[in-house]
Amino acid sequence: MSIKSLKKVLAVTMAASMLVMPLTAGATDSAGSSSSEATPVVEEVKSTSQVVAGGEVVKNELPGAFAVKADSPFTGVAVRESAAQLKQEAGLAANETPFVSAYTVDRNKSGAVYASFDAAAASVGATTLGGINIDLGKLTNGKFTELPEGVSVPFTMGIKNYNPNLTYYVVKVLPGGAIEMVPVTVENGKITFNITGGLAGYGLLCK
C-alpha cells in the first residue's frame, strides 16, 4: 500500500470511528449533549506507535491509526499482539487484515463519556486522568469493519508523570452505556490491559 493510500485509509478510519464516538457515553448521552471530536489533520495521525517507559521500549505490533495528543496523560500506546496472531485467533480471511484506531478524547468535547469515567472513578475513590477511544477491527479491501467483542488483545499505555505510590485503574465504557473496570498490570510507568473488538472508551484513573 502506498503512503498516499495509507494516509487515506487512516483518515477515513479515524473519521468513521469518531462519528460514532458519542455512543460510548451511554446512558448520560442525549441528542443535545452529544458531540464528536473533530477529525484530526492527516499528518497528525500516525500509522504506528510505541511506549517508552522504565527503560523499556514497547513497540506496537498491529497496523493502525494513532492520534495521542501531547497534553494527554499517555506517553504512547501499543498493541501487544501481531497481525498474524490476531488474524488466526479471529478467524480472518486471507484478504482481511486486523486494524486498530486509537485516539485520545478531550473532556471539553466529550463530556458525556467523561461522566462515565468519573462515575467509575468515584466508585473506587479515584480521579480521572484522561481517556482514549480504541476501535479494534479489520480492513477488507481498504474498508474498515469492527471485530466482535469476543476478540481480545493486550494493550499497553505509557503513564505520563507516573507515580509508583499511586494505584492506577482502567475503566471501559461500551456503546449503550455498559461500564466495567478491567484488570490491569502496572509496571515501571506502563499499564497493560486487554482491549476487545469494536469501539470502546477506556479511561485512566488513579488514587
Side-chain angles (χ1 to χ4, degrees):
M1 182 180 289
S2 68
I3 296 298
K4 183 177 180 180
S5 297
L6 177 60
K7 284 187 175 182
K8 183 177 180 181
V9 169
L10 300 187
V12 170
T13 303
M14 293 290 288
S17 56
M18 285 178 181
L19 287 174
V20 299
M21 181 275 299
L23 295 177
T24 64
T28 58
D29 258 347
S30 68
S33 63
S34 297
S35 62
S36 61
E37 292 280 346
T39 305
V41 177
V42 173
E43 286 73 17
E44 295 177 350
V45 180
K46 298 180 180 180
S47 60
T48 191
S49 180
Q50 66 179 18
V51 176
V52 181
E56 180 185 5
V57 178
V58 179
K59 293 185 177 181
N60 172 67
E61 298 186 47
L62 203 65
F66 302 89
V68 179
K69 294 182 179 179
D71 61 355
S72 77
F74 315 111
T75 61
V77 298
V79 178
R80 304 289 293 271
E81 188 166 302
S82 70
Q85 288 175 293
L86 181 53
K87 189 169 184 174
Q88 182 177 19
E89 292 172 5
L92 301 187
N95 66 331
E96 297 176 324
T97 303
F99 192 92
V100 62
S101 62
Y103 50 95
T104 50
V105 287
D106 182 82
R107 179 180 288 275
N108 293 329
K109 297 178 181 178
S110 307
V113 71
Y114 267 85
S116 295
F117 292 158
D118 291 343
S123 71
V124 293
T127 300
T128 302
L129 296 180
I132 186 168
N133 274 358
I134 304 172
D135 203 353
L136 180 60
K138 63 183 179 182
L139 288 178
T140 308
N141 299 322
K143 181 180 179 181
F144 178 84
T145 54
E146 294 177 342
L147 288 174
E149 190 181 346
V151 176
S152 178
V153 296
F155 188 87
T156 293
M157 300 190 301
I159 303 173
K160 189 178 295 182
N161 301 319
Y162 170 69
N163 184 339
N165 297 315
L166 297 178
T167 301
Y168 292 89
Y169 306 85
V170 168
V171 58
K172 175 183 176 182
V173 180
L174 289 170
I179 301 173
E180 63 175 297
M181 303 292 284
V182 299
V184 301
T185 299
V186 180
E187 182 181 14
N188 296 327
K190 301 179 295 294
I191 187 165
T192 299
F193 55 98
N194 274 30
I195 61 171
T196 52
L199 176 65
Y202 296 85
L204 178 63
L205 321 175
C206 79
K207 71 173 182 179

